[in-house]
Structures are given as C-alpha cells and as structure tokens.
Amino acid sequence: MSNDNLSVGGGYSAAGYIDEDSLALSAQASSSGNLVTGSISGSVGQSSSLGIYGGRAMAAAEDSTAVADNNRVQLTLEETDGSMQLSLLGAFARALTTAVADGNLLRVSGGADTAIKGTLYGAQVEIERSDSDSAQANASGNRVEVSGIDLTGSITGALVENRNSSGSVNAEGNVVVISSSEIEGNVTGANLLGSHINASGNTVILGEGTVVNGNVTAVVGANAELARSFGGEFSSTYGDNRVVMNNATVSGTVCAVSSDSGSLPVDVQTAGNTLVLAGHNEAGSIEGFESLDLTLSEQNKDQSVLTLTGGE
C-alpha cells in the first residue's frame, strides 16, 4: 500500500445541515457503544496514513447536540516499522451548542520491533463557532492505554474545544496510561480551549520502562486566543489533576497545568494538583504541582526517587 489515506470507524452519526441559505432548527446525533478491534503489522509506503475511530457524532443546527460515548478501539501492533502515519481516536463529537464524549477507550499494545508515528486521542470534542452564548463541550472518563510501542507523535486523553465568545469546556477524569514504551513527543491528560475552563481529576500515568522525549502535562488550558478575539470574562479552574511516575524518564518538563491566558485578566484557580512518584524517575524539570506523593522502597536505598536533568 502506498500513497493511500484510509479511514476505519466503528460507528458514525450525523444530523442537521448547513448550506448557503439555511440551518436546521434542531438536530441530535449519537454514536455510542461501538467497538473496533484488530491488528496492524508490516511496513507500508511512506505516504500512507490510516485513521481509526470508535465512534463519531456530528450535529449542525441552531440547537444541536452530539454525543459519542462508551466507544472502544483496541489495537495490537506487530513488527511495524514506523512508515505509516496513524491517527487513532476513541471518539469524536462536534456540534453548535452541546457536544459530549464520555467513557471512551483507546488501547494500543505492541511487541518487539513495534514503531509507529502519529497522534493518539481518547476523545475529541468540538463546539463550532456560532451565536450561542451557552454552548458546552464536555469530555469525561476517557482513557488511552499504551504499552510496548515506540511512537513518534503525541498522546492526549481528551481534546476539548469551544470557540464561542461565551461558553464552557469541561474535562474530568480523563486518563493516559503508558508502560514499556518510548514516546518522541508530548503527552497530555486533557487539552482544553474555551472561555470558561474546568479541568479536574485528569491523570497521566507513566509506568515501568516508559521514556518520553518531550513534555508531560496533566492539563493544558488556553483562553488567550478567545480573549484577544472577543474580550469579555474568562475563567479557568484546575483541580486534583495528577502525573504519576513509576520508574519512568521524561526529557522535558513534567507539569500539572499549562495555562495560556494571554495578557487579559482571567480568573485562574488551581488546587490539589499532585505529582506521584515511586521507584527511580528522571525529569528535565517539574512545574506547577501543589502537592507531592512519594512511595519509597528498597530501590530507593541506592537510587533517588527523582533526578532532575535540566532538560527543556
């Protein structure tokens, strides 16, 4: 296979319509409980790409709701050489007023000589720009599990975007778990863009034998772009988010919250964000945690629980 772009999905739902003259008054789309399983092996042409998603729901109307929940993608990789560009996604939801993706799972496992490049998401939620002043985008309980692979690319538990001047984004309890893998890129528990951001209980877990050549962040939040465009009131709340490291290495920064609020005044509240350490770990730097949770063992008689290497 070469110069091919393929897409595989478990379920797809679309409702409403947009054309040059009219927009539907109301629409609801739902894609729930779908399962995609399989294996990927061998090498392909350098220009090939493959997109796999569990569920996709899109609604376009003045009053529109899209829900994609409890979808699963479970893949096994065997002797892949990294030549294919992969886009792997548990679920996707897009609407004009309410979009929700909850409880979705992306699980990728590999063995020896398993290399891929691309992006991995537990869920993506988007509110398209509209006249709604109460649009909501929510992603909760989504999960990405990765083991035994070499990935050149990024991993995100949930990406949540609401581009309206007034609207909210919410991400709660999204989790990324990585073990026995090497990641050339950034790892994020939840990434949010919106006027009013709420992110709580999101977690990145780096298990035994994990190396991340990039940054690891529990939550990335941004409302500077919207503040510059619209002005108005903006707020961000980040609480009880965690990064867990157990015999893991991160070349860059391990961070609780990375918040871009720009130069305009934004009410930002943080509390209870925790770094959890066990075994021997290395990180370029540590930022933004309110608390530290240490579990010491016999290993720590000879090795520190954390070594800072001064990476970028």
Side-chain angles (χ1 to χ4, degrees):
M1 180 173 64
S2 62
N3 300 310
D4 290 324
N5 299 301
L6 301 178
S7 179
V8 177
Y12 176 83
S13 175
Y17 60 92
I18 299 176
D19 60 29
E20 294 181 357
D21 302 314
S22 61
L23 177 66
L25 294 178
S26 65
Q28 294 81 39
S30 176
S31 183
S32 303
N34 300 290
L35 172 63
V36 177
T37 63
S39 63
I40 300 173
S41 62
S43 62
V44 297
Q46 292 292 326
S47 299
S48 298
S49 65
L50 174 63
I52 300 177
Y53 62 88
R56 183 181 293 266
M58 296 187 292
E62 293 181 13
D63 181 9
S64 57
T65 300
V67 177
D69 57 2
N70 299 314
N71 299 285
R72 291 179 294 159
V73 175
Q74 300 175 186
L75 299 175
T76 301
L77 307 179
E78 301 175 356
E79 296 182 351
T80 53
D81 62 3
S83 59
M84 177 182 285
Q85 182 77 26
L86 294 176
S87 176
L88 306 180
L89 172 62
F92 176 85
R94 175 191 290 163
L96 294 182
T97 51
T98 302
V100 179
D102 292 342
N104 300 287
L105 170 66
L106 171 62
R107 178 180 293 144
V108 182
S109 60
D113 301 319
T114 300
I116 61 172
K117 58 184 178 182
T119 56
L120 280 62
Y121 291 94
Q124 292 183 2
V125 181
E126 296 181 3
I127 293 291
E128 296 183 284
R129 185 168 293 181
S130 67
D131 295 330
S132 174
D133 60 0
S134 59
Q136 298 183 13
N138 301 307
S140 299
N142 301 289
R143 190 175 180 93
V144 179
E145 298 178 3
V146 171
S147 63
I149 69 170
D150 291 344
L151 169 68
T152 300
S154 62
I155 301 175
T156 304
L159 173 64
V160 193
E161 298 183 328
N162 183 345
R163 296 186 175 275
N164 285 318
S165 60
S166 178
S168 65
V169 288
N170 181 68
E172 298 182 356
N174 301 289
V175 180
V176 174
V177 183
I178 306 173
S179 62
S180 302
S181 298
E182 183 167 348
I183 313 300
E184 294 282 344
N186 297 328
V187 177
T188 307
N191 191 333
L192 304 94
L193 169 66
S195 301
H196 301 285
I197 294 173
N198 177 66
S200 63
N202 301 288
T203 303
V204 175
I205 301 172
L206 307 179
E208 184 95 25
T210 295
V211 176
V212 178
N213 292 313
N215 300 319
V216 173
T217 311
V219 176
V220 174
N223 40 32
E225 175 186 338
L226 297 173
R228 286 192 296 267
S229 299
F230 299 109
E233 297 182 357
F234 297 85
S235 64
S236 300
T237 302
Y238 308 101
D240 299 320
N241 302 289
R242 299 190 306 158
V243 175
V244 180
M245 300 178 68
N246 184 359
N247 290 306
T249 299
V250 177
S251 67
T253 299
V254 177
C255 182
V257 175
S258 175
S259 179
D260 179 10
S261 299
S263 59
L264 294 179
V266 174
D267 179 17
V268 179
Q269 300 181 31
T270 62
N273 299 295
T274 303
L275 176 63
V276 181
L277 299 173
H280 170 66
N281 304 278
E282 295 185 2
S285 60
I286 300 294
E287 293 182 3
F289 295 96
E290 283 86 31
S291 61
L292 178 63
D293 185 339
L294 301 179
T295 298
L296 302 179
S297 64
E298 290 292 321
Q299 179 181 358
N300 300 116
K301 289 183 177 180
D302 301 315
Q303 294 180 304
S304 63
V305 70
L306 176 65
T307 298
L308 297 180
T309 60
E312 296 181 358

